[in-house]
Amino acid sequence: MNREYDYTYAVARVRANELSLLSAADIEQLIVAGDYKTTMHKLSDSGWGEIKDIYDYAGYLENYFAKTWNFLVEIMGDIHELDLLLIKNDMQNLKAALKSIVSQHDAKDLYVQSTVYDTQEIVKAVDERSFKDLPDFMQKPAEEAYEVLTATANGQLADAIIDKATLERIKHLGVKSGNPVLAELAERMCATANIKTALRCANTGKSKDFVERSLCECDTIAKHKLVETSLEGVDAVLNYLNDTSYAVAGEKFKESTSVFEKWCDDILMECVNEARYTAFGIDPIVAYYVARDAEIKTVRIILSAKINNLPADVIRERVRALYV
């Protein structure tokens, strides 16, 4: 039996759930809502869940994302086919566990709920300095980051080491999947992350060693060119981007940081726009996940803006492209 037909039930469930995605009109209502509390209550009334602490919107959104992931776990025969979409949460938890050793503070409130691996097993391995008990791809970066934190207390470099390993894992899983949509999504995630890092390093004058340890290899943009140009400054990075398929990134960056960040997320949505219409296979499920992720990012932006009393026009500039 062809594997793509195994997803018939899952795709049907996803199609039904797509009806609950926020529309452009729904987003506009949130943007023009009177204040932060009103916006939170509108979300709750829209089926996003009961509000336990109205000012803890981060926890509220994480709970909503957990529901989305639990739904995918329920309908998928093998949820590990989507590991590249979630592995960043495991690596975030790894960073939190490592930093809790140095700070001597319990990081339990920093751990993300939805993960590929058992978070407690990761925390235990870090607490016991038994890095060999971590998944293979985590072992080396965890040990390197731990050495950096304990020897120099350089939290930025430790984060960069873990972030690079995260991207390398995403890239590996994309290629391994054999699925064009997942592979392209992984490539765009890595390329945009590299661009953001190179620009940030150029702006802050990071050393060549720091940049080298922060960027991953990818197919559509040359790591060595990003390293070289980041040492010359932001303009040099932007000039290099003009000679790549990411030339528009430079244009967006010149407009504003928020417009650039929006573009980085929107090209992921572009990657799955056609996938949503596929009749069979995993593609519509991947598209649904990306849509929910973009939706949650947009709501987070709106809530953050509301709590800081930003005007509606500023919020509209920042909201992500939608799936519906």
Side-chain angles (χ1 to χ4, degrees), residues 289-307:
Y289 173 93
V290 174
R292 279 295 187 201
D293 191 49
E295 178 185 62
I296 292 169
K297 284 179 181 177
T298 289
V299 170
R300 181 179 290 108
I301 288 165
I302 293 172
L303 292 174
S304 176
K306 288 287 184 181
I307 209 167

Side-chain angles (χ1 to χ4, degrees), residues 232-245:
E232 298 171 20
V234 169
D235 287 343
V237 176
L238 297 179
N239 287 336
Y240 165 60
L241 293 178
N242 285 334
D243 296 327
T244 73
S245 58

Side-chain angles (χ1 to χ4, degrees), residues 16 41 78 120 124 130 155 167 186 226 247 277-278 283 293 308:
H41 285 301
D78 181 8
Q120 291 309 310
K124 180 183 177 186
S130 183
L167 295 173
L226 285 178
Y277 300 112
T278 305
D283 292 2
D293 191 49
N308 287 290

